[in-house]
Amino acid sequence: SIAIAEQLTAHEFYLFEKVRHSEFLSQNWAKNISKAPNLVHSIDYFNRATYWIASEVLSHHDVNERAKV
């Protein structure tokens, strides 16, 4: 699980590193996706990864199994 966490973190950093400062201005990501493509992609990746992680943890009914995930 540490290796997975490291890979997820490395990929998220790679995506975030591509975000330009201007993409944060005036909430461009919410108004016009084309003005903030890297930020939108980073946000989308984060949301998909978070959903996947939560789904994996909650797919185990036993609390002890959840803790292992």
Side-chain angles (χ1 to χ4, degrees), residues 13-26:
F13 179 74
Y14 167 77
L15 294 174
F16 188 74
E17 192 174 42
K18 293 168 64 174
V19 177
R20 296 181 316 270
H21 296 175
S22 61
E23 295 185 46
F24 288 99
L25 299 175
S26 304

Side-chain angles (χ1 to χ4, degrees), residues 24-58:
F24 288 99
L25 299 175
S26 304
Q27 295 185 341
N28 281 332
W29 69 92
K31 296 175 184 172
N32 187 346
I33 293 173
S34 66
K35 289 186 177 182
N38 298 309
L39 183 56
V40 169
H41 189 72
S42 182
I43 291 169
D44 183 53
Y45 174 80
F46 174 82
N47 289 338
R48 285 184 289 122
T50 302
Y51 178 81
W52 174 71
I53 293 165
S55 296
E56 284 298 311
V57 171
L58 295 175

